[in-house]
Amino acid sequence: MISYISIVGAELGTEKGNHLIEGLLAAIPAKKHYTGKMLGICFLIAFQLVLYAVFGLVGFLLLRHSTFVKSLHLNDYLAKIDPQYLWISLILALLSLFL
């Protein structure tokens, strides 16, 4: 039942979005609409990256002296991670955000 409600809700949202797009395209040129959409996506990506950086920094500052974190011995695990793996992970994360 929950899955069915989710599917119906998604279809309703898509249909409403299509009507909204038709109204926008009738009111403004398609080039301006596309430019606005691309700018919105770029700002969303930038916002997510800034948010990740802020949360990471806050987490690092708050948890670096935590006894719980020290009990996990994360330094031993993190020291074994190859820098090439980190670069590939970062590139894939950024690529997934841009796509």
Side-chain angles (χ1 to χ4, degrees):
M1 186 67 167
I2 292 172
S3 178
Y4 175 73
I5 291 171
S6 174
I7 292 170
V8 170
E11 287 298 322
L12 285 172
T14 302
E15 188 64 30
K16 294 290 183 185
N18 288 340
H19 286 296
L20 182 66
I21 296 288
E22 288 174 9
L24 283 175
L25 288 177
I28 60 172
K31 187 174 182 177
K32 285 187 179 182
H33 173 71
Y34 180 73
T35 303
K37 191 175 241 185
M38 290 297 110
L39 282 174
I41 289 171
C42 289
F43 285 134
L44 179 64
I45 290 170
F47 178 72
Q48 284 181 341
L49 291 175
V50 168
L51 203 61
Y52 292 154
V54 168
F55 283 157
L57 183 64
V58 169
F60 175 74
L61 293 175
L62 292 177
L63 297 175
R64 69 178 168 177
H65 298 298
S66 171
T67 56
F68 173 71
V69 174
K70 288 182 181 178
S71 71
L72 294 176
H73 304 290
L74 291 177
N75 288 335
D76 297 337
Y77 296 114
L78 295 176
K80 296 176 184 174
I81 295 177
D82 187 27
Q84 183 181 6
Y85 174 77
L86 292 176
W87 280 111
I88 290 172
S89 298
L90 179 67
I91 290 169
L92 288 175
L94 290 175
L95 185 63
S96 68
L97 280 173
F98 287 119
L99 290 178

